[in-house]
Amino acid sequence: MPLSRLGGSLRDMRDRRSMTQAEVARLADVPRLKVIQVERGDPSVSMKAYAAIAKALGAELTLMPSRRPTLEEAREFFSRDE
C-alpha cells in the first residue's frame, strides 16, 4: 500500500471519529506535525509513527501477502489520478 493511501486512510478514520489532529497526536504521543506528515503519506516518517497513530485511532497495521489487483481495483486506482 503506498504511504499516501495509508495516510489518507488514517485521515479518513480520524475524520469519521470526529477527532482533531491534536487529539490523535496526544493519544499517539507524537507531535501534531507528525500526524500531518503521516496523513500526507510522508515517506520520511518512521513506520513506528504510522503504527502509533493507527493505534491511537483504534486500528493496527498488519502485513498481508501482496497480490495482483483486480481489474476493478486497477480502474479505481488509476481513475483517482485524473
Side-chain angles (χ1 to χ4, degrees):
M1 173 183 292
L3 289 177
S4 60
R5 198 164 130 204
L6 173 58
S9 294
L10 292 170
R11 182 185 58 247
D12 291 344
M13 288 178 73
R14 178 180 60 76
D15 287 342
R16 283 193 305 273
R17 287 165 174 74
S18 299
M19 296 175 73
T20 66
Q21 291 172 333
E23 290 171 322
V24 172
R26 183 180 46 78
L27 290 171
D29 196 27
V30 298
R32 181 174 165 264
L33 178 58
K34 194 68 66 180
V35 174
I36 293 168
Q37 291 171 316
V38 164
E39 289 184 355
R40 289 181 182 158
D42 188 330
S44 69
V45 176
S46 72
M47 287 309 295
K48 182 177 178 180
Y50 278 88
I53 290 168
K55 183 178 179 183
L57 292 167
E60 65 180 28
L61 301 181
T62 58
L63 295 177
M64 298 179 356
S66 60
R67 63 174 175 79
R68 290 185 168 187
T70 64
L71 184 56
E72 183 61 32
E73 290 169 330
R75 282 185 183 136
E76 179 184 338
F77 178 79
F78 288 109
S79 70
R80 283 188 248 164
D81 293 334
E82 295 178 0

